[in-house]
Amino acid sequence: MPTTSRPDGAPRGRPAGDAAGLGRGRAAAFVAPAVLLIAGFLLFPALWTLYLGLTDYRLTGLAAADPQLVGLENFERALGDDRFGDSLWLTLQFVVGSAVLGQAVLGFTLAWLLRDRRGPLRRLVEALVLLAWILPSSVVAFLWIALLDRDGGTLNALLGTPGTGWLLEYPMASIIVFNIWRGAAFSMMLYAAALGSVPPSELETARLAGASPLQQLRDVVFPRIRGHVLTNLLLISLWTFNDFTPFLLTAGGPDGRTEIMPVFVYQAALSGGELGFGAALSVLMLLVNLAIALVYVRLLRRRKDAVA
Amino acid sequence: MSGDTSGDTSGESGHPGGDVNVDLSVEVRVDAGRTAAGSGRAAARRALRTVGRYTFLSAVLGFFALPLLWLASAPFDAAPSITAALPEFTLENFRALLDDPRALRSLGNSTVLAAGTGALVVTLAALAAYALSRVRLPGRDALLYVLLLLSSIVTGTAAMVPLYNLAFELNLIDSQLGVILVLSGGLLPSAVFILKDFMDGTPRSYEESARVFGASPLQVVRHVVVPVVRPGLATIAVWSVAQVWGNFLIPFLLLRSPDKAPAAVVMYTFYTEGGQPNLALIATFSLLYSLPVVAMFLFVSARYGFRFHGGIKR
């Protein structure tokens, strides 16, 4: 293919970079279908959630045909409801335990231990960790149900603790461990990429100066990868907060002891049929999500200020 | 560390890059006792560390392998139980798949949903990402970030109720098209975001020369841009197919009739419906249902190397 001698990005008479001669009109036409779909099935439902939260809309009955505006009643009810507080508290335990502490720490440790290794051990560890991540969620849910089963579960057979119904006796701990297993791969890969950005010469210098691995981590590695750490924590916190997979393991039970927010919304809105109340819960969930995002954005900005 | 930390080496200058940065003022505290002592203790410590590392890695291997054992053993076990055990080898269990009409049909349904969503996401995201990469539309970057944040928040659980209502109003309850549209709306922002990175990285001179030879913008996109960014398109295709293949909530929410249910939902009903679960069926179905994503993943990592691109960077 012939090439022109003109350097990239400096076409005459058109906006910079518009090499195909799209122009604004055609560019807008290219963007339009995607924007329409996003607007229809992402933005609009989000806004609709706000509106529905203000109504007494129900799945069936009188309020289904003619929902009335009830103002902030749903929100007052949610905030005064013990189940909401409990659910939020459970979600917090789930996010902190399985994402912030579990996935991030395990993922980083694996990335750190495997960083300059080649060969079968590394490939085996990576393959298994990734497998846990890519398998369909309803399959892994059943694998864990089988593993933790009271009567024939592999775990009981291994530990010699027959009759322990892990999902019934330790439901929260079970879904936390499950989610660590499920999601550690993402953190491992992200930190492996991040560790690649730490210049080996700095680590070498630190090592020659006699720094222990922990000191190397604290003084050389962490200052370099702080941005990656924050990105990682933001993403896995949001994902875990909105994760519906624990429903497949425990369906929120026993006695609502694993009724994290997504499960609570589902139970209230679609099992209970109170769509308006469920929407109000969704809005509160969105607000918590937003708060999580803002905390991380602020931390990121502080980091940039500190460096600049 | 103990009180005898003496030699603080800070601000080492041997960094080859030379970009002076506050991060570089590395503070390393040296344990003076250790440098003076012989290498015996250091060697012992190193050996201990090695033992510790291998112990830890073995524990991790066990932890990650344990739940997967059942998936490897039960499908081939003549008498599958819920416990993972060395199987008495047989392929008889796979007959259960053929006996249950839901099994293969649900995999077909999953294929329809995944292929439809994948095609829609790749096409629309490629067009949008190309236009956004080449033409400066007002408010482009802010829009991209807002959408990305929104999609990671809204997708699925938080917008459950209005998604259900929306599908109801549009007559899309129990319609596979409805599921495809909802899933595409949720995946598109990230897809556009990642693809735009690929587009930004392609040289513009090709497109310019194609223009010189009289190609129309659409021809340029089809014959020049698409071949160049094919790895990016493949990444997005695989990513969206994998997302849809495993998605449980949206089809669970929007599809009503059992014969339209995809594998994720059917798998769930296999082990939650009343009565004795048919373990031969569950085991073989799990395996068959998992294989496509595993195969796709292996293909991508062999062909393009599985690594983070775009979206995730500082």
Side-chain angles (χ1 to χ4, degrees):
Chain A
M1 178 171 291
T3 53
T4 55
S5 57
R6 206 194 301 144
D8 281 356
R12 277 163 302 197
R14 281 195 302 270
D18 184 9
L22 278 179
R24 286 241 164 118
R26 271 203 213 87
F30 274 28
V31 179
V35 167
L36 276 180
L37 209 57
I38 294 170
F41 290 93
L42 194 64
L43 284 180
F44 182 59
L47 295 176
W48 200 349
T49 311
L50 291 176
Y51 166 74
L52 278 179
L54 303 174
T55 68
D56 64 351
Y57 193 35
R58 296 183 65 94
L59 197 56
T60 52
L62 206 61
D66 182 24
Q68 299 292 317
L69 275 176
V70 293
L72 294 175
E73 200 177 281
N74 286 324
F75 292 93
E76 281 163 17
R77 193 181 133 203
L79 293 174
D81 190 345
D82 281 347
R83 251 178 103 194
F84 175 77
D86 290 347
S87 176
L88 201 59
W89 172 236
L90 289 173
T91 315
L92 192 72
Q93 291 176 19
F94 183 57
V95 170
V96 171
S98 71
V100 177
L101 293 179
Q103 292 179 5
V105 171
L106 181 60
F108 180 84
T109 313
L110 286 174
W112 175 251
L113 291 180
L114 298 174
R115 70 192 182 283
D116 42 16
R117 236 144 246 280
R118 295 283 169 272
L121 180 66
R122 176 189 176 139
R123 279 207 296 277
L124 186 64
V125 173
E126 282 185 346
L128 283 176
V129 176
L130 283 174
L131 207 56
W133 191 51
I134 59 172
L135 289 180
S137 53
S138 45
V139 170
V140 296
F142 183 76
L143 291 179
W144 275 77
I145 290 175
L147 176 75
L148 301 177
D149 188 73
R150 187 197 333 228
D151 300 319
T154 310
L155 188 64
N156 279 339
L158 269 183
L159 297 179
T161 51
T164 310
W166 298 93
L167 287 172
L168 296 174
E169 289 172 43
Y170 312 98
M172 199 55 187
S174 298
I175 62 169
I176 286 178
V177 173
F178 162 76
N179 196 44
I180 296 174
W181 181 87
R182 173 77 166 149
F186 176 79
S187 301
M188 180 183 80
M189 289 193 298
L190 189 106
Y191 288 129
L195 288 175
S197 73
V198 178
S201 62
E202 285 183 19
L203 280 174
E204 183 68 7
T205 313
R207 210 174 51 77
L208 287 179
S212 74
L214 276 183
Q215 289 168 325
Q216 292 175 31
L217 276 180
R218 187 191 60 201
D219 299 326
V220 184
V221 176
F222 276 127
R224 282 244 156 217
I225 65 166
R226 250 195 89 186
H228 294 277
V229 174
L230 288 174
T231 310
N232 174 251
L233 289 179
L234 169 65
L235 289 173
I236 61 176
S237 302
L238 286 178
W239 290 340
T240 306
F241 192 90
N242 296 293
D243 187 16
F244 195 67
T245 318
F247 177 84
L248 300 173
L249 277 175
T250 62
D255 296 331
R257 278 160 70 195
T258 54
E259 198 175 65
I260 52 174
M261 287 302 290
V263 177
F264 185 35
V265 175
Y266 178 81
Q267 307 276 29
L270 294 151
S271 296
E274 295 186 86
L275 295 178
F277 182 55
L281 292 174
S282 294
V283 172
L284 293 172
M285 228 176 121
L286 284 179
L287 289 179
V288 177
N289 274 313
L290 210 61
I292 298 177
L294 284 179
V295 167
Y296 284 113
V297 167
R298 174 147 299 187
L299 284 172
L300 263 178
R301 189 169 302 152
R302 186 174 304 159
R303 169 185 153 269
K304 274 191 192 131
D305 291 346
V307 170
Chain B
M1 287 279 110
S2 53
D4 61 350
T5 49
S6 56
D8 279 69
T9 56
S10 57
E12 51 85 31
S13 54
H15 185 52
D19 52 327
V20 183
N21 195 320
V22 183
D23 285 5
L24 278 184
S25 60
V26 178
E27 262 186 61
V28 181
R29 305 210 184 108
V30 179
D31 191 337
R34 182 140 60 87
T35 45
S39 57
R41 248 170 67 199
R45 196 174 301 190
R46 229 181 353 257
L48 210 65
R49 217 176 272 151
T50 309
V51 171
R53 178 160 58 204
Y54 281 105
T55 315
F56 177 78
L57 285 178
S58 315
V60 167
L61 275 181
F63 174 55
F64 278 91
L66 197 56
L68 296 169
L69 288 179
W70 189 85
L71 188 60
S73 70
F76 308 103
D77 198 327
S81 72
I82 213 159
T83 322
L86 267 185
E88 195 181 316
F89 188 81
T90 175
L91 289 174
E92 193 59 23
N93 293 334
F94 286 89
R95 181 171 305 224
L97 281 179
L98 302 175
D99 288 345
D100 195 311
R102 289 173 296 177
L104 293 180
R105 194 174 51 207
S106 74
L107 287 171
N109 290 334
S110 282
T111 311
V112 169
L113 295 181
T117 312
L120 198 61
V121 167
V122 168
T123 312
L124 298 192
L127 286 175
Y130 179 70
L132 288 174
S133 163
R134 295 299 193 259
V135 180
R136 223 189 146 78
L137 294 172
R140 174 186 71 179
D141 291 344
L143 185 78
L144 275 175
Y145 276 102
V146 168
L147 286 181
L148 196 67
L149 190 67
L150 202 69
S151 71
S152 70
I153 290 176
V154 173
T155 309
T157 49
M160 245 183 285
V161 178
L163 278 177
Y164 182 85
N165 286 327
L166 182 66
F168 188 78
E169 296 293 333
L170 294 176
N171 233 340
L172 288 175
I173 291 286
D174 204 24
S175 135
Q176 289 175 320
L177 179 66
V179 177
I180 290 176
L181 290 175
V182 168
L183 286 170
S184 301
L187 295 176
L188 265 172
S190 313
V192 172
F193 199 78
I194 297 170
L195 265 184
K196 182 177 163 293
D197 245 39
F198 278 94
M199 300 284 185
D200 286 345
T202 58
R204 276 137 213 227
S205 50
Y206 292 170
E207 296 153 54
E208 282 168 14
S209 37
R211 287 283 291 163
V212 168
F213 285 92
S216 77
L218 260 180
Q219 281 176 319
V220 171
V221 171
R222 212 167 74 214
H223 299 297
V224 179
V225 178
V226 167
V228 174
V229 296
R230 193 167 284 156
L233 298 178
T235 307
I236 294 301
V238 167
W239 171 77
S240 46
V241 165
Q243 295 279 325
V244 178
W245 193 255
N247 190 296
F248 169 79
L249 182 64
I250 301 294
F252 184 59
L253 210 59
L254 299 184
L255 294 177
R256 284 282 161 263
S257 52
D259 54 321
K260 284 184 187 157
V265 174
V266 164
M267 173 75 200
Y268 180 67
T269 54
F270 278 166
Y271 59 80
T272 50
E273 67 191 4
Q276 193 69 23
N278 180 351
L279 287 175
L281 176 65
I282 293 178
T284 47
F285 186 71
S286 302
L287 191 64
L288 198 64
Y289 174 34
S290 304
L291 281 181
V293 271
V294 175
M296 209 165 62
F297 181 81
L298 289 177
F299 171 76
V300 174
S301 58
R303 181 100 185 251
Y304 303 107
F306 197 83
R307 63 199 168 84
F308 286 115
H309 196 104
I312 296 150
K313 57 182 184 185
R314 281 192 281 179

